[in-house]
Amino acid sequence: MAEKGILLVVSGFSGAGKGTLLKALLEKYDSYALSISATTRAPRAGEQEGREYFFKTREEFEAMIQAGELVEYASYVGNYYGTPRAYVEEQLSLGRDVILEIEIQGALKIKEHFPDSVLLFLSPPSAKELRRRLEGRGTESREVVESRMTRAREEAVGIEEYDYFVVNDEIHACAEQVHGIMQSEHARAFRSQALIEKIRSGL
């Protein structure tokens, strides 16, 4: 039987490099699975059911809420987005570490449902670097950059709620650090209770 996977919840400021980190982890290690969200928004060109999202009608999504089939959900710009419990639990049971990228409020809800989950907050080395990255994208207006900086100030208040705080300075070193954290988490005694009991009974 495969060792049960761990749910890794990643949050961070816009511009911290969350997407780049997840891509680096998924490319280098086959032990990770990215959580796929359900949404009521229409598929965009090139998106596939069960790859980018599980696409649902509003009625289907609300039925999932009523049935307790979502770990967490939120409404954003008129559409629902949520994390299906069945997909997460299936991947964990296969021994894969499931990565869920989500904001702080959602992350704390996840911790309530999955007390064994690992919460990780990703940050650039400094506020100055965060602003440089946001401006360096070249796709954001000055107003958008300022609104993201304001949002970052709000998010910074809840960082201590997380298990780990990781600085993303160089992406490959950052990915190695996060993978090391997950290896250490797998070695924690409370996650090996069945094996501990087996060894204990054979003594």
Side-chain angles (χ1 to χ4, degrees):
M1 185 181 158
E3 181 189 353
K4 195 169 183 288
I6 297 171
L7 181 57
L8 170 63
V9 182
V10 177
S11 305
F13 306 126
S14 175
K18 299 184 293 295
T20 314
L21 168 66
L22 304 194
K23 189 166 177 279
L25 284 171
L26 292 165
E27 280 177 359
K28 187 160 185 185
Y29 304 102
D30 58 8
S31 55
Y32 295 101
L34 197 56
S35 174
I36 301 168
S37 296
T39 184
T40 55
R41 80 154 170 76
R44 291 182 185 139
E47 289 183 336
Q48 285 180 20
E49 167 69 17
R51 189 180 69 184
E52 281 80 15
Y53 287 97
F54 296 113
F55 294 100
K56 305 289 179 187
T57 64
R58 198 164 188 85
E59 293 71 27
E60 286 172 336
F61 199 102
E62 287 174 351
M64 290 175 79
I65 295 172
Q66 292 302 315
E69 293 172 8
L70 295 165
V71 178
E72 57 76 41
Y73 69 93
S75 182
Y76 180 71
V77 198
N79 284 304
Y80 282 125
Y81 293 83
T83 304
R85 182 184 296 276
Y87 178 81
V88 169
E89 290 182 342
E90 177 197 12
Q91 294 296 319
L92 292 175
S93 70
L94 292 172
R96 302 186 83 186
D97 292 335
V98 178
I99 308 174
L100 179 57
E101 183 193 330
I102 202 162
E103 42 67 52
I104 286 184
Q105 285 74 20
L108 299 180
K109 276 187 203 166
I110 296 281
K111 194 73 167 175
E112 286 175 24
H113 291 287
F114 292 86
D116 293 354
S117 62
V118 173
L119 268 54
L120 185 146
F121 196 94
L122 192 67
S123 173
S126 66
K128 188 177 174 183
E129 172 64 11
L130 177 62
R131 181 179 288 278
R132 191 193 68 74
R133 288 183 191 180
L134 289 171
E135 290 173 347
R137 284 176 173 177
T139 55
E140 318 282 24
S141 68
R142 186 166 185 79
E143 290 74 26
V144 170
V145 169
E146 290 310 321
S147 73
R148 291 194 191 282
M149 290 300 292
T150 300
R151 174 90 176 126
R153 281 191 284 276
E154 292 164 2
E155 289 172 333
V157 175
I159 293 173
E160 287 83 359
E161 302 284 343
Y162 283 71
D163 300 308
Y164 295 94
F165 177 75
V166 173
V167 171
N168 178 17
D169 196 358
E170 195 281 312
I171 192 62
H172 296 294
C174 181
E176 286 300 307
Q177 184 183 357
V178 172
H179 185 64
I181 285 169
M182 294 306 287
Q183 296 299 97
S184 297
E185 281 291 331
H186 275 285
R188 292 185 67 180
F190 80 88
R191 298 191 197 277
S192 304
Q193 206 54 52
L195 179 58
I196 290 167
E197 292 301 333
K198 186 179 174 186
I199 292 169
R200 200 178 268 151
S201 65
L203 294 174

